[in-house]
Structures are given as C-alpha cells and as structure tokens.
Amino acid sequence: MNDADRATIVERLRNGCSPDAVHAELPDVSVGEIAAIAETEALTQAHRKSGAAPIPDLDPQLARALGALAWGENSHTTRIRNLAARTRAGLTELQQLQRDAAAIEEAQREVAEATQTLAKAQSKLRRLKNTGKPAPKPTAAGNDLDGKRQRDEIRAWARAQGMKVSQTGSISREIMEAWANRAHKHPAVPVQRQAR
C-alpha cells in the first residue's frame, strides 16, 4: 500500500465509509489493512463513540503489521487464525510485562525516596538526642597545653592518694570524680605538694 492509498482510505473512513466499502474501491488493500488503519486513526465506530484521538505519527510498518493481524483474525483458514491469536496473545503478554516493569521501576523509585527520607529522619533524631550534651570545647594550642598540665596534675594527685592511674591515655571516671570532689574533703593543695 502506498501513501496515496493510505490517504484515500483515511479520507473515506472519515466520511463514514465501512472497511468493506473502501475495499471495494481499493481491492489491492485487504479489509484487515483497512481495519488496522481505522483503528490507528481512531476512525472505528467504537472510537467515534468514545471520542478517542488517533495515534500520532504511527510507523507505517506497524500499521501494516496491525493490518495483517486484523486480516489473520478474520481469515477463513484455521492455521492463520491460530497464528493471529498467538500473535495477539504475545502482544498482550508484552504489554503486561511492560506494565510490570514500569510498576517495578516506580516501586524502586519510591523505595529510594523512602530510604533517603528515613536517613534524614535518623540523622535528625541523632542530633536531637545529642542536644542536651555539652558541645566539645574548642581546642587551641594553649588549651591543649593547659589540659595536659591538668591531666599530669590529676595523675600525680591520684598516685599520692594510692590510686592506680596510667601514664598516658584517658583517666578513669572514678579518679576524675575523686579529683572534682577533693576540695570538699581536703585542702586544695595536693598531698604530694604538702610533702615539701
């Protein structure tokens, strides 16, 4: 079928001619091909009732394939009708697989968005839980030196009290609490300094 025949078919169908009447005018074009053009151009009675729009820029090869399918479904030969039925079943399965793939893609997108939302919420929760804790003091070179001096002083005081304390690393909480409470129990001067 050439473009002129297709244009003639579309014009006749728009004017209300049936596929059989168009076939009588153009016998080289099968009724199935005419029916396929009517389908793709939304010129069937069902389309007219529903107000459906035609498929824009339909590939001519696809239109011929749809025509062949319609022709096969209306064939008088059982083998051809069976082939057309299998073809339509295959196309229906392809459409279902396409819908399934689109649904999976949408679900994956939703999971990704939900995961991102959850990560933000968890981060916000951690920040809120840590709000009551004192912020770490900024460390400057002088502060580090003062901190080292104080730790050395605490270690010396703890040893003088008979407590076990390491030379380096963190000082246990018990020693730190004892150091903080020493002013309430003893004079502020550590025992080792009194020995002089």
Side-chain angles (χ1 to χ4, degrees):
M1 173 191 343
N2 58 39
D3 291 341
D5 287 345
R6 181 179 172 80
T8 301
I9 293 166
V10 170
E11 182 185 345
R12 297 292 186 273
L13 291 171
R14 282 193 180 137
N15 291 332
C17 292
S18 69
D20 290 328
V22 176
H23 175 64
E25 187 179 334
L26 298 168
D28 291 340
V29 182
S30 73
V31 175
E33 289 176 307
I34 296 167
I37 291 171
E39 183 73 29
T40 57
E41 293 292 328
L43 297 171
T44 65
Q45 288 181 356
H47 284 108
R48 287 190 186 108
K49 286 179 185 175
S50 69
I55 300 170
D57 301 325
L58 183 66
D59 181 2
Q61 186 175 357
L62 179 58
R64 286 192 294 276
L66 290 173
L69 179 60
W71 170 81
E73 290 175 328
N74 295 312
S75 176
H76 300 294
T77 308
T78 303
R79 185 177 72 81
I80 294 174
R81 283 197 311 272
N82 289 341
L83 178 60
R86 287 195 307 273
T87 302
R88 184 169 293 278
L91 289 171
T92 302
E93 185 178 354
L94 271 176
Q95 288 174 321
Q96 185 60 51
L97 290 171
Q98 184 182 33
R99 284 191 295 270
D100 292 348
I104 288 169
E105 189 175 313
E106 175 66 15
Q108 287 173 332
R109 187 187 61 74
E110 289 175 7
V111 167
E113 287 177 2
T115 302
Q116 188 175 14
T117 301
L118 178 61
K120 287 179 182 176
Q122 288 173 329
S123 176
K124 181 179 179 181
L125 179 61
R126 280 192 297 273
R127 279 195 314 274
L128 290 171
K129 283 184 172 182
N130 291 330
T131 300
K133 297 181 181 177
K137 295 179 181 175
T139 58
N143 289 345
D144 284 347
L145 187 58
D146 289 345
K148 182 177 180 338
R149 284 183 187 147
Q150 185 178 22
R151 286 191 302 275
D152 289 345
E153 188 177 340
I154 293 169
R155 283 188 175 93
W157 174 85
R159 284 189 204 98
Q161 302 304 313
M163 299 178 181
K164 288 189 177 183
V165 63
S166 64
Q167 288 289 343
T168 59
S170 61
I171 301 171
S172 72
R173 187 175 59 196
E174 292 80 13
I175 293 175
M176 293 300 289
E177 287 174 359
W179 168 261
N181 293 330
R182 76 193 187 292
H184 301 296
K185 297 178 181 177
H186 303 289
V189 181
V191 174
Q192 110 179 14
R193 289 189 181 173
Q194 291 176 352
R196 291 183 181 175

